[in-house]
Amino acid sequence: DAEITQSPRHKITETGRQVTLACHQTWNHNNMFWYRQDLGHGLRLIHYSYGVQDTNKGEVSDGYSVSRSNTEDLPLTLESAASSQTSVYFCASSESLVDEQYFGPGTRLTVT
Amino acid sequence: AQTVTQSQPEMSVQEAETVTLSCTYDTSENNYYLFWYKQPPSRQMILVIRQEAYKQQNATENRFSVNFQKAAKSFSLKISDSQLGDTAMYFCAFLSGYALNFGKGTSLLVTP
């Protein structure tokens, strides 16, 4: 069955370190998204991609970057982790922009 | 920017009863899509129901139905015959263009 996976599921890192969160989907979806979830804020969009070599900034993109070298993967990089980036991160994908987004299981990131 | 408001942070319902979760949104667009997602303690985001703004008929999925009032910009979710497994966070989301805008969520507890 097609799926979307994220790794690691849990990560603890120190302030200032570079961290990369992986997202891999096997639906062959062109559209992929990264969200963060914080108490009192719901989910907020960080970056999104419509296809290979395409990346766009979302609502809360400062301090994050993504790259899309193939259809299946959209890794999220925190260039220099900050305590404010402690959060749960969700990756999602969709076949078209008006379709359901399928979410990964999430990565809980703690920056100490 | 579109905003999504869920005015009920927490709700409780007894098993087999009916509960309605509220959602309002703000937009100047005419064509858009609305979703309800469920997030159980496992943290997985699961689509509950989807509504296209151009459809007058309210969407229904088994025990879940919506009351979509386009003029009032209201999109409430009704859960009939509540089950213990319905205990979760419920997020209302608005889609127009590239990404979902989420409300802050309603925590629903179903009690025996």
Side-chain angles (χ1 to χ4, degrees):
Chain A
D1 288 344
E3 60 177 357
I4 181 166
T5 57
Q6 294 183 234
S7 62
R9 295 294 310 277
H10 302 271
K11 174 77 176 178
I12 300 174
T13 192
E14 296 178 343
T15 301
R17 289 190 178 270
Q18 183 181 80
V19 177
T20 296
L21 309 182
C23 174
H24 179 80
Q25 52 97 2
T26 59
W27 275 298
N28 203 35
H29 287 164
N30 283 324
N31 307 306
M32 296 185 72
F33 309 85
W34 273 104
Y35 297 88
R36 60 177 288 175
Q37 182 178 26
D38 305 288
L39 280 175
H41 286 281
L43 281 80
R44 293 179 292 173
L45 182 66
I46 305 172
H47 280 286
Y48 60 101
S49 170
Y50 293 145
V52 177
Q53 301 301 331
D54 176 77
T55 61
N56 305 279
K57 294 182 177 180
E59 177 188 358
V60 291
S61 62
D62 287 348
Y64 304 95
S65 64
V66 293
S67 61
R68 188 89 181 270
S69 59
N70 59 53
T71 300
E72 296 79 17
D73 299 288
L74 186 70
L76 177 71
T77 298
L78 287 68
E79 303 293 344
S80 177
S83 57
S84 61
Q85 294 176 308
T86 292
S87 186
V88 179
Y89 291 85
F90 286 95
C91 180
S93 72
S94 67
E95 184 171 357
S96 81
L97 291 178
V98 299
D99 282 333
E100 170 189 0
Q101 290 186 16
Y102 294 86
F103 283 81
T107 294
R108 182 177 295 277
L109 177 68
T110 302
V111 182
T112 61
Chain B
Q2 289 82 10
T3 58
V4 179
T5 302
Q6 293 179 250
S7 59
Q8 305 149 315
E10 296 179 347
M11 294 192 73
S12 179
V13 64
Q14 281 193 317
E15 208 174 359
E17 296 295 309
T18 296
V19 64
T20 298
L21 308 184
S22 300
C23 174
T24 59
Y25 57 93
D26 184 26
T27 185
S28 58
E29 301 186 21
N30 194 46
N31 295 320
Y32 50 87
Y33 299 80
L34 295 160
F35 301 82
W36 279 98
Y37 277 87
K38 168 185 177 181
Q39 186 178 42
S42 66
R43 211 168 61 195
Q44 181 70 48
M45 294 288 287
I46 303 165
L47 179 68
V48 175
I49 203 164
R50 175 177 184 262
Q51 175 80 43
E52 293 90 341
Y54 63 85
K55 289 187 176 179
Q56 293 185 339
Q57 186 173 4
N58 289 326
T60 299
E61 288 287 342
N62 301 313
R63 298 182 294 107
F64 299 88
S65 61
V66 299
N67 183 5
F68 174 48
Q69 301 289 330
K70 189 173 184 179
K73 298 180 183 176
S74 172
F75 182 60
S76 60
L77 175 69
K78 186 172 81 171
I79 306 174
S80 303
D81 186 25
S82 297
Q83 300 176 359
L84 296 178
D86 294 334
T87 291
M89 282 289 290
Y90 287 82
F91 291 96
C92 178
F94 175 101
L95 175 65
S96 177
Y98 57 87
L100 289 166
N101 291 285
F102 287 86
K104 294 182 179 181
T106 295
S107 178
L108 177 66
L109 175 65
V110 180
T111 58

